[in-house]
Amino acid sequence: MINVLFCASEVAPFAKTGGLGDVTGSLPVALGKLGVRVAVVTPRYRGIQSSRKKLSEKVTVHFVENEAYFNRASLYGNDGGDYPDNLERFSFFSRAALGLARETGFKPDIIHVHDWQTALIPVILKTKLSRDPFFQNSKTLLTVHNLAYQGHFSHSLYPKLGLDPGLFSMGGFEFYGKINLLKAGLLYADALNTVSPTYAREIQTKEYGFGLEGVIHQRRGRLKGILNGIDTALWGPEKDRRIKKTFSAKRLDGKAACKAELQKSGGLEVNPRIPVFGIVSRLAEQKGMDVLLESADALLSRKAQLVLLGDGDAVYKRGFGNVGRRHPGSASVHIGFNAAEAHKIYAGSDFFLMPSHFEPCGLGQMISLRYGTLPIVRRTGGLADTIEDADADPKHGNGFVFEDRRAHGFLGSVDRAIRAFRDTRRFDALRRHAMKMDFSWDVSATEYVKYYKEIMRG
Ligand code: ADP
């Protein structure tokens, strides 16, 4: 049996700001089903009631406690930006996660860490703890969920890491005079992966590498792309209690009820013949929110409706708020993070918009497919690996794909989508096809197990 210590800064349903939490909350469960023994470690943030909980019968989550560091209003920062002590917070967490393994006697074969918050762990193991008998057979895997977030900190904070000053160098933490936690993790982990095959290739290029393309390219022999799955117990129209009426590929009438409800609750004209474009997203440039904001008026001039749920950058919160005010009967804008509302949008929309400039994997497109909501995406990262254009490939098509980053490219695919929507028979077939696709964790969790074994063999 393989023992995996899973260390992550967020784990759904306990804490989540995005796809990272979804993945760390569902992959361990899928691994448990495949016979892997997984122990998950994550911070005990405000609102989490006990220090141990279960993700499934087999998977226990251990929470690392520290009042001063983790009992805060949010995970990483507030309106003023990132918390200034994030380096200390996650350096503390990384050490505590290893300490917890030792205390509980859980000897890991693999220590699976995620993103910059836990990227310190491979470094600590290869330096401070290199002779520690407890971790003698432990190998590390670092999963990059988004290369844009690297954990940059001022060099002056380096002593807080408690590591050899010599590690602040080109072959370690140093990145243009600053500390870069992810960079060191990429260099020290035994193995790496990212969350889709296309993104694994993209991050070796200047366009997508955020300055780390050289490091990634150097370690490409140790890098894999494994597509994320979605938690089909949580996301599925057949049993979803948060939606107006359940439905399935065979019984689509419930979807019409969900759409009518979405239109009604958003103050939009309740009309099945008007296509509804949904968005559930972080409001960030990465997600193509600049393109969407620029195109919103044009989209709404096409007798279409827009339902947006998102939180993030102030400029987009303001911008989309104004779109909502300019188009009261056809645009419904909710600023905030709201899980229940997200389900209603996935279920009630006809199309789901993801015009991302880059997208490591993306979960929204896979979730919306489950609900028969066709994604409109830019061809990048995980979007390129999961969505086929319905015009270019009528047999396998499950959405609409564009390449051009500008509004023009996006609106072109919107027009093609509206054309498909008007052809009821074709649209119905597309929808049913989309709903039958399998994006559960089964396939990807098996790939992780294979990779773990490969890493253990060295
Ligand atoms: P990322 O992790 O880059 O934000 P993903 O597509 O991988 O993007 O995952 C986003 C996840 O967060 C999805 O489960 C999506 O439904 C959810 N989500 C994003 N924004 C919101 C929001 N404002 N309210 C509720 N859920 C949201």
Side-chain angles (χ1 to χ4, degrees), residues 229-337:
I230 54 168
D231 179 354
T232 47
L234 175 68
W235 300 111
E238 301 85 358
K239 291 197 186 131
D240 195 332
R241 295 213 189 129
R242 286 163 152 163
I243 63 179
K244 181 77 179 169
K245 198 165 172 210
T246 57
F247 58 95
S248 66
K250 286 202 187 102
R251 284 182 25 256
L252 264 174
D253 50 318
K255 183 157 176 85
C258 291
K259 175 172 173 176
E261 177 65 19
L262 185 66
Q263 290 176 316
K264 197 170 129 206
S265 66
L268 311 177
E269 182 186 335
V270 180
N271 181 342
R273 287 187 305 278
I274 302 178
V276 174
F277 292 80
I279 302 141
V280 178
S281 180
R282 276 190 294 121
L283 300 181
E285 190 178 321
Q286 173 204 336
K287 299 290 181 183
M289 288 302 129
D290 52 339
V291 175
L292 187 66
L293 188 56
E294 193 190 329
S295 318
D297 288 335
L299 189 149
L300 290 162
S301 73
R302 286 161 158 82
K303 191 122 179 100
Q305 296 174 344
L306 188 67
V307 179
L308 179 142
L309 169 67
D311 203 353
D313 298 354
V315 41
Y316 299 119
K317 289 201 261 193
R318 212 169 34 241
F320 286 114
N322 288 336
V323 170
R325 281 185 282 278
R326 278 204 299 279
H327 304 271
S330 52
S332 153
V333 173
H334 293 251
I335 302 298
F337 198 95

Side-chain angles (χ1 to χ4, degrees), residues 221-453:
R222 287 290 186 160
L223 170 70
K224 257 196 190 355
I226 303 178
L227 201 66
N228 285 333
I230 54 168
D231 179 354
T232 47
L234 175 68
W235 300 111
E238 301 85 358
K239 291 197 186 131
D240 195 332
R241 295 213 189 129
R242 286 163 152 163
I243 63 179
K244 181 77 179 169
K245 198 165 172 210
T246 57
F247 58 95
S248 66
K250 286 202 187 102
R251 284 182 25 256
L252 264 174
D253 50 318
K255 183 157 176 85
C258 291
K259 175 172 173 176
E261 177 65 19
L262 185 66
Q263 290 176 316
K264 197 170 129 206
S265 66
L268 311 177
E269 182 186 335
V270 180
N271 181 342
R273 287 187 305 278
I274 302 178
V276 174
F277 292 80
I279 302 141
V280 178
S281 180
R282 276 190 294 121
L283 300 181
E285 190 178 321
Q286 173 204 336
K287 299 290 181 183
M289 288 302 129
D290 52 339
V291 175
L292 187 66
L293 188 56
E294 193 190 329
S295 318
D297 288 335
L299 189 149
L300 290 162
S301 73
R302 286 161 158 82
K303 191 122 179 100
Q305 296 174 344
L306 188 67
V307 179
L308 179 142
L309 169 67
D311 203 353
D313 298 354
V315 41
Y316 299 119
K317 289 201 261 193
R318 212 169 34 241
F320 286 114
N322 288 336
V323 170
R325 281 185 282 278
R326 278 204 299 279
H327 304 271
S330 52
S332 153
V333 173
H334 293 251
I335 302 298
F337 198 95
N338 185 331
E341 188 62 28
H343 283 251
K344 295 186 172 77
I345 296 178
Y346 286 118
S349 305
D350 296 300
F351 299 101
F352 191 79
L353 301 175
M354 288 183 84
S356 308
H357 293 291
F358 69 95
E359 194 60 78
C361 175
L363 298 176
Q365 83 281 17
M366 296 195 264
I367 298 171
S368 54
L369 287 172
R370 286 278 288 129
Y371 289 82
T373 300
L374 300 183
I376 297 179
V377 307
R378 198 174 91 77
R379 193 191 307 285
T380 182
L383 299 174
D385 292 334
T386 50
I387 306 302
E388 294 286 340
D389 189 89
D391 285 330
D393 187 346
K395 196 151 168 235
H396 303 104
N398 57 359
F400 295 89
V401 183
F402 64 96
E403 262 173 66
D404 189 339
R405 283 173 188 269
R406 289 161 302 177
H408 171 76
F410 169 64
L411 286 169
S413 63
V414 164
D415 285 331
R416 293 192 295 111
I418 294 177
R419 229 171 288 137
F421 177 80
R422 294 210 179 108
D423 182 345
T424 319
R425 249 168 118 201
R426 178 182 174 216
F427 192 63
D428 220 50
L430 272 170
R431 216 168 221 180
R432 286 177 209 274
H433 169 64
M435 291 182 77
K436 285 191 196 128
M437 303 196 79
D438 181 6
F439 288 110
S440 66
W441 269 109
D442 299 349
V443 180
S444 302
T446 307
E447 273 193 66
Y448 271 105
V449 175
K450 246 172 70 193
Y451 199 25
Y452 290 158
K453 288 185 180 159

Side-chain angles (χ1 to χ4, degrees), residues 110-129:
I110 298 285
I111 303 179
H112 190 166
V113 305
H114 301 267
D115 282 351
W116 69 265
Q117 293 91 336
T118 47
L120 207 52
I121 290 176
V123 189
I124 296 172
L125 283 166
K126 283 258 162 67
T127 56
K128 282 228 131 148
L129 298 183

